[in-house]
């Protein structure tokens, strides 16, 4: 199985100046490790505003100037430098953005999908390719001459997806592709993303909707307060007894089908010294308060929890 994307120990912080010239470094992502294989969909599941989109922006090299990044990102085994990111994005690595606002409101759909061309021959070739991809996703020729405001929510999502596919990328990053869509459009979007896997592409799906992750992904990485705390198969996420981390169990138990069993507490906004789930965890130990667990492999599941480190030490 070919690894398309490898993210190792990625941390992202932002430098801000508050109350005059007092510098404050705010860490948003800490020690994030995740990978995506060819012909696989991996979902990054976490609450809104938890920093998930920054992972996508880091892979693409479009973080703001005041960001500080450590760790390593590889594509097809090669370290992604800023120069390589700029070379690959829009070609081998493409983003399906979360907002239809990424579409230029003053430009017709086909024009912005095709982009700039050096001559009429290139324009004609791109037009043929654009129509071929649009047709595959149910967008007929009448869509080409529409402006973004004339598209329905579902059509706009399909335009974003189709535009990302024009360069025939190997890796697609779908950033929150379903919010605001009606049920039918959500199902169509899920089907479209799953279809990409059948084309031997790798997909990193960023979402806060657990049902979308369950229906779409092969593996799910749970994001909590800037940390990946568990990576498990989507199949195991169907039952709280089959996942490991206390937060993951609580997340599954909170679903409507499981009776809305909610737990108290909120995610810490700032980086903490110990385990990020310490304050809310029913299985916490004394060492969890001032020590941060590492992401380890436990029987094929990636888990960030001292309880499983203890088990591994004993085995």
């Amino acid at each position: 199985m070919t690894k398309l994307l490898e993210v190792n120990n990625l941390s992202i912080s932002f430098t801000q100046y508050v109350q005059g010239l007092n510098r404050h470094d705010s860490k948003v992502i800490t020690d994030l490790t995740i990978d995506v294989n060819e012909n696989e969909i991996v979902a990054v599941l976490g609450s809104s505003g938890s920093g998930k989109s920054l992972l996508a922006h880091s892979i693409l090299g479009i973080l703001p100037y005041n960001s500080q990044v450590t760790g390593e990102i590889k594509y097809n085994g090669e370290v992604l430098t800023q120069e390589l990111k700029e070379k690959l994005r829009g070609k081998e690595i493409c983003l399906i953005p979360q907002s239809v606002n990424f579409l230029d409101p003053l430009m017709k759909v086909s024009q912005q999908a095709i982009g700039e061309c050096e001559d009429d021959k290139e324009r004609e070739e791109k037009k043929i390719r654009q129509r071929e991809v649009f047709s595959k996703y149910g967008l007929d020729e009448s869509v080409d001459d529409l402006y973004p405001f004339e598209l329905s929510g579902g059509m706009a999502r399909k335009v974003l997806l189709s535009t990302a596919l024009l360069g025939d990328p190997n890796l697609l990053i779908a950033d929150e592709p379903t919010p605001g869509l009606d049920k039918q459009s959500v199902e169509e979007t899920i089907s479209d993303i799953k279809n990409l896997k059948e084309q031997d592409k790798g997909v990193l799906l960023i979402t806060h909707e657990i049902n979308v992750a369950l229906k779409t992904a092969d593996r799910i990485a749970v994001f909590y307060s800037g940390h990946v705390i568990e990576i498990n198969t989507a199949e195991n996420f169907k039952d709280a007894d089959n996942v490991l981390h206390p937060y993951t169990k609580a997340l599954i138990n909170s679903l409507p089908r499981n009776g809305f069993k909610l737990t108290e507490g909120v995610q810490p906004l700032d980086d903490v010294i110990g385990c990020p789930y310490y304050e809310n965890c029913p299985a916490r130990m004394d060492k969890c308060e001032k020590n941060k667990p590492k992401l380890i492999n436990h029987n094929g599941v990636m888990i960030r929890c001292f309880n499983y480190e203890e088990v591994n030490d004993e085995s």
Side-chain angles (χ1 to χ4, degrees):
M1 188 175 290
T2 303
K3 278 192 187 302
L4 282 179
L5 178 70
E6 298 172 75
V7 180
N8 298 309
N9 309 115
L10 178 71
S11 294
I12 301 174
S13 60
F14 293 93
T15 299
Q16 297 174 310
Y17 289 89
V18 295
Q19 296 179 348
L21 298 178
N22 294 318
R23 174 171 170 160
H24 175 67
D25 290 331
S26 175
K27 186 172 283 189
V28 184
I29 289 178
T30 304
D31 192 29
L32 187 154
T33 295
I34 195 171
D35 59 66
V36 180
N37 297 310
E38 185 181 86
N39 191 236
E40 181 185 39
I41 301 171
V42 176
V44 177
L45 179 66
S47 62
S48 296
S50 61
K52 302 183 304 299
S53 293
L54 292 175
L55 170 60
H57 297 170
S58 180
I59 295 168
L60 294 162
I62 55 175
L63 288 169
Y65 73 93
N66 64 329
S67 61
Q68 307 293 325
V69 182
T70 61
E72 182 181 71
I73 303 175
K74 290 183 178 180
Y75 171 73
N76 268 337
E78 186 175 0
V79 174
L80 278 177
T81 62
Q82 182 62 26
E83 182 181 3
L84 186 56
K85 290 175 184 179
E86 293 173 5
K87 179 181 177 181
L88 295 178
R89 71 182 180 219
K91 301 178 179 69
E92 292 190 38
I93 304 175
C94 281
L95 173 69
I96 305 171
Q98 63 175 287
S99 173
V100 295
N101 291 331
F102 276 75
L103 294 171
D104 187 334
L106 303 178
M107 187 180 292
K108 291 182 178 179
V109 166
S110 63
Q111 290 176 302
Q112 52 190 305
I114 292 171
E116 295 183 1
C117 302
E118 292 185 0
D119 51 44
D120 291 341
K121 180 181 179 182
E122 183 183 4
R123 184 178 303 279
E124 185 60 31
E125 290 174 349
K126 285 187 174 182
K127 177 63 179 177
I128 292 172
R129 171 66 177 161
Q130 175 256 318
R131 186 89 300 281
E132 176 186 296
V133 175
F134 273 40
S135 295
K136 181 183 290 185
Y137 289 95
L139 299 169
D140 61 36
E141 291 189 26
S142 66
V143 174
D144 293 359
D145 289 325
L146 297 179
Y147 289 94
F149 73 88
E150 297 178 293
L151 303 173
S152 67
M155 288 173 66
R157 294 288 182 187
K158 287 181 180 293
V159 167
L160 290 171
L161 171 62
S162 301
T163 301
L165 289 172
L166 288 179
D168 196 26
N170 294 321
L171 175 66
L172 285 113
I173 302 170
D175 188 5
E176 298 282 11
T178 55
L181 297 183
D182 58 65
K183 185 176 180 180
Q184 180 180 344
S185 296
V186 169
E187 293 299 325
E188 289 176 356
T189 300
I190 289 171
S191 177
D192 291 340
I193 292 174
K194 292 176 76 170
N195 183 52
L196 298 175
K197 174 187 168 182
E198 302 306 315
Q199 299 174 40
D200 294 328
K201 301 184 185 302
V203 180
L204 183 66
L205 170 64
I206 296 171
T207 183
H208 68 269
E209 300 185 51
I210 188 169
N211 284 326
V212 170
L214 287 170
K215 290 180 180 180
T216 312
D218 299 294
R219 289 187 293 145
I220 298 174
V222 179
F223 205 57
Y224 183 87
S225 189
H227 301 73
V228 167
I229 58 172
E230 180 169 355
I231 305 176
N232 211 326
T233 64
E235 183 65 29
N236 282 342
F237 270 77
K238 294 178 181 178
D239 189 329
D241 291 335
N242 293 334
V243 295
L244 303 184
H245 199 281
Y247 173 72
T248 312
K249 291 178 181 291
L251 188 66
I252 295 173
N253 284 329
S254 70
L255 294 175
R257 67 168 183 264
N258 295 324
F260 278 120
K261 299 171 187 173
L262 302 179
T263 56
E264 294 183 358
V266 295
Q267 294 190 29
L269 296 177
D270 296 318
D271 191 30
V272 296
I273 297 174
C275 174
Y277 195 54
Y278 174 78
E279 292 293 337
N280 307 317
C281 183
R284 66 191 182 195
M285 300 181 290
D286 290 342
K287 68 186 295 185
C288 303
E289 183 177 8
K290 301 244 174 114
N291 298 279
K292 189 166 290 182
K294 297 178 180 178
L295 190 68
I296 62 169
N297 188 320
H298 176 73
N299 297 332
V301 176
M302 300 303 293
I303 176 74
R304 188 186 298 274
C305 181
F306 281 127
N307 287 291
Y308 292 95
E309 286 191 6
E310 296 285 333
V311 171
N312 282 356
D313 289 342
E314 293 172 4
S315 59

